[in-house]
Amino acid sequence: MKDDQLFELADLILAVARHINAAKEANAESGTPLEGAVMRFVDRHPGTTVNAAAEATQMISSNVSRAVRGLETKGLLRREADPDDARRVRLYPTEKAAENLRRLRDTWSELLDGTFTDAKEIGTLITALQSIETRLVARSRG
């Protein structure tokens, strides 16, 4: 029974993600799924490195580097030399990325508005999904 429930959970997460992703296409600049994963990490960890982004997203660094180049071309990400080690490059979101993220936040908030009965329900779901993500990341590292 547990396997059936876990499958159903994963299937529902993917189904909801498809709706959320479709809404994004209309109002925010988007790229490849790889670029999206890298941008999400850089938005949450400004000043990160390609290697850290690769580890966090479970991708090889050459693929992350390709995504970084694409995001740079789109004006969503900038590279800066590390002030302590000029051989290392730090990644930062641009103002265009911040504006894109604001549009995305508005779009997704509007999409999900009215789908919950109260804020406590939203908080419970956020906590559960954060826990799932944290455990999956830990499992992939261990």
Side-chain angles (χ1 to χ4, degrees):
M1 183 63 158
K2 182 179 174 186
D3 286 350
D4 290 341
Q5 288 177 308
L6 293 173
F7 173 81
E8 187 65 19
L9 174 63
D11 186 57
L12 286 168
I13 289 170
L14 288 173
V16 169
R18 282 190 293 273
H19 288 279
I20 292 171
N21 198 45
K24 172 181 78 170
E25 300 300 324
N27 296 319
E29 185 169 339
S30 65
T32 67
L34 174 65
E35 288 173 344
V38 171
M39 197 69 236
R40 179 178 187 259
F41 187 76
V42 172
D43 275 330
R44 293 170 190 267
H45 304 91
T48 192
T49 64
V50 168
N51 287 341
E55 182 180 326
T57 57
Q58 297 184 309
M59 295 178 229
I60 59 174
S61 59
S62 61
N63 287 346
V64 173
S65 293
R66 187 174 65 243
V68 165
R69 284 190 301 276
L71 291 164
E72 266 188 308
T73 299
K74 292 174 182 162
L76 298 171
L77 188 124
R78 65 182 165 80
R79 299 182 211 211
E80 286 185 15
D82 186 315
D84 299 323
D85 182 353
R87 296 169 296 175
R88 184 178 300 152
V89 174
R90 299 285 177 175
L91 307 174
Y92 296 92
T94 63
E95 182 53 43
K96 181 179 178 181
E99 176 56 35
N100 199 49
L101 188 57
R102 282 189 286 277
R103 284 195 314 272
L104 193 59
R105 184 174 289 123
D106 291 346
T107 298
W108 285 351
S109 295
E110 184 179 322
L111 174 71
L112 294 175
D113 189 32
T115 61
F116 291 91
T117 56
D118 62 43
K120 185 177 178 184
E121 184 181 18
I122 296 169
T124 300
L125 185 54
I126 288 170
T127 299
L129 290 171
Q130 286 171 332
S131 177
I132 290 169
E133 182 184 26
T134 298
R135 290 174 186 175
L136 290 172
V137 168
R139 182 183 290 174
S140 72
R141 291 180 182 162

